[in-house]
Amino acid sequence: MLRSEFKELVGRVVVQHFTAFKQFSNVLLWHIPHMYSDVMAQKTEITPLGLLEVDEKVSADMVKAVQYINQRYVPYTSDLENGNNISKPVVHVILSGDQLTKQNADAAIRAKANEDSSFERMEGLVPVTADFHCSMNFNDVIFKRFYSPSSQCDFGSFFHLRNVVHRTNVTKSALGDNYRPCNTFIQDVLDASIIAVVLHHFSLHTQDDMPVSMPTSFLSNEEKQDWFDEQILNIVDTYILNESPEFHNMLQGNLQSPPQSTAVPQPIVCQMPRCSHPPFKT
């Protein structure tokens, strides 16, 4: 599954940036199907919900807001069970926002966990973190892991590449107003890495060169797709999902620290002429 998805993602970059591969755009899967593809393909209906004069940082206000949304926009039904009129949500409604909003909404719902009915417990609401905020937090994790001003001399590091292309609006945090420049920078670095790999893999000098192994024509779209898939999968297997033990250890979280040198440290002798200071211990 991961291998096939990498194939499509790498293939998009190759088709977009290499002249000889633009002919494969009609056999490339531009949208990876998933279990919600049919739902996502439907036209979105946007309905203004108005404004509530509440502060989500205040617990009482957040409870009031969630109760209002639960009452207005979550359908409930009543079933006669054991002589009691018990309300149940017909559907669960997603309440999305940033992480803080989700946390506050969860707290507001938990505050009503001991109420008698599903309606009063607001069981029809499902607080989630919106995709945009998930993307923002994911980018921030990437920057915290790979972006460091101390790596400016490390060729190919995030900070080094940031200086090379003079992206002064890229900072160490990808949150808030920094999201768009940092997100664009991540995409550009990824595309550039794939371009460099393809140039090396096919022994090309420029993005306009024709690979020697590419046929001059194809008899059918099936033949074209088979050849293209084989080439991209070869790149994925060689440069991304390689079979090295280090790679599998990294996936399993078992990447070992580099072996420590067993050499006995030698004392450092002062190089100043006529210095009589004894050697420094290391």
Side-chain angles (χ1 to χ4, degrees), residues 238-277:
T238 303
Y239 300 95
I240 301 177
L241 299 178
N242 60 70
E243 297 297 330
S244 65
E246 292 81 3
F247 176 78
H248 290 287
N249 287 334
M250 181 180 66
L251 287 182
Q252 299 171 6
N254 297 326
L255 192 61
Q256 302 294 327
S257 301
Q260 301 295 326
S261 175
T262 57
V264 178
Q266 300 296 321
I268 300 176
V269 180
C270 180
Q271 301 299 317
M272 182 66 66
R274 296 186 298 276
C275 178
S276 60
H277 193 283

Side-chain angles (χ1 to χ4, degrees), residues 91-152:
V91 295
H92 289 84
V93 176
I94 293 176
L95 177 62
S96 64
D98 58 18
Q99 280 191 318
L100 181 59
T101 299
K102 178 187 181 303
Q103 178 181 344
N104 292 335
D106 285 334
I109 293 175
R110 286 196 302 268
K112 297 296 180 179
N114 293 327
E115 298 295 335
D116 295 331
S117 66
S118 296
F119 172 76
E120 293 173 319
R121 293 192 297 269
M122 298 180 285
E123 294 180 353
L125 284 175
V126 182
V128 299
T129 304
D131 291 344
F132 169 78
H133 296 283
C134 288
S135 175
M136 180 184 298
N137 292 326
F138 179 66
N139 287 349
D140 194 53
V141 170
I142 293 176
F143 266 73
K144 287 181 178 178
R145 177 65 179 86
F146 296 105
Y147 184 92
S148 174
S150 62
S151 65
Q152 59 180 343

Side-chain angles (χ1 to χ4, degrees), residues 129-199:
T129 304
D131 291 344
F132 169 78
H133 296 283
C134 288
S135 175
M136 180 184 298
N137 292 326
F138 179 66
N139 287 349
D140 194 53
V141 170
I142 293 176
F143 266 73
K144 287 181 178 178
R145 177 65 179 86
F146 296 105
Y147 184 92
S148 174
S150 62
S151 65
Q152 59 180 343
C153 296
D154 296 337
F155 185 80
S157 66
F158 261 28
F159 195 77
H160 169 263
L161 294 175
R162 177 253 196 194
N163 293 338
V164 169
V165 297
H166 197 59
R167 294 288 181 86
T168 56
N169 57 349
V170 174
T171 61
K172 62 181 180 180
S173 174
L175 301 178
D177 294 337
N178 300 325
Y179 167 74
R180 296 193 183 281
C182 291
N183 184 67
T184 302
F185 179 69
I186 291 175
Q187 295 298 325
D188 290 344
V189 170
L190 179 60
D191 287 359
S193 300
I194 295 175
I195 291 172
V197 162
V198 174
L199 290 172

Side-chain angles (χ1 to χ4, degrees), residues 191-234:
D191 287 359
S193 300
I194 295 175
I195 291 172
V197 162
V198 174
L199 290 172
H200 177 268
H201 183 76
F202 290 104
S203 300
L204 305 178
H205 296 289
T206 69
Q207 295 167 237
D208 295 325
D209 292 345
M210 174 76 72
V212 177
S213 60
M214 179 181 291
T216 56
S217 62
F218 297 93
L219 298 178
S220 63
N221 283 338
E222 289 76 14
E223 182 184 1
K224 179 191 291 187
Q225 182 168 7
D226 290 342
W227 185 89
F228 181 72
D229 289 348
E230 180 182 357
Q231 303 304 314
I232 301 301
L233 284 174
N234 192 12

